Amino acid sequence: MLFLKSTSVTKAPGIYEVDVAAKPPGKTFGVFLATDPDNPPQAVLAALQELGFKNTHQQGYVHKDKGKVLDMHFQKDGTDLFNGWKTDECASNLAALDTLFGNFGVTVAPRVMSLAEAYA
């Protein structure tokens, strides 16, 4: 999900990259993190859990620049059809994510994935 250019620069301690994205039509967002497995961002992970986001996938790999990376995906169920987010849930969840990552100096820009990206 994330295109990670380098492991030599972090956005915050233990975080290489953050993506807040939704599959079309774009009401239910997931959080995608590229983290340093040797220095995990425990405070961020705990805060995500407190907000109700659950880790749904994680996979480690060695980046082309030889740095270790752990990709992590988080989702939060909503009350709409198929556990999606209703409009008010979307607004409050995105605001909470903005605050959470802002507290760690990371700016997030929620986006809707392209169809090709979402269903690849």
Side-chain angles (χ1 to χ4, degrees):
M1 183 59 58
L2 293 173
F3 176 72
L4 185 59
K5 294 179 183 178
S6 170
T7 60
S8 63
V9 178
T10 60
K11 292 198 178 265
I15 300 175
Y16 296 123
E17 190 63 66
V18 177
D19 188 20
V20 177
K23 291 181 179 180
K27 285 185 6 182
T28 306
F29 288 78
V31 177
F32 304 89
L33 295 173
T35 65
D36 179 353
D38 295 332
N39 181 26
Q42 295 297 346
V44 171
L45 299 176
L48 279 170
Q49 185 176 357
E50 286 176 20
L51 290 175
F53 284 84
K54 295 183 177 128
N55 185 302
T56 59
H57 173 79
Q58 63 183 32
Q59 180 178 359
Y61 67 93
V62 176
H63 192 266
K64 65 183 177 184
D65 66 10
K66 307 292 187 234
K68 290 191 243 176
V69 178
L70 179 62
D71 271 341
M72 303 178 83
H73 303 181
F74 295 86
Q75 285 182 220
K76 179 178 181 178
D77 288 344
T79 59
D80 206 358
L81 191 61
F82 304 113
N83 296 323
W85 295 354
K86 292 183 178 177
T87 303
D88 59 331
E89 290 172 313
C90 181
S92 65
N93 287 332
L94 289 178
L97 288 172
D98 188 50
T99 299
L100 182 156
F101 285 106
N103 288 340
F104 293 95
V106 177
T107 302
V108 294
R111 67 184 184 86
V112 177
M113 298 177 203
S114 69
L115 286 172
E117 180 183 17
Y119 298 102

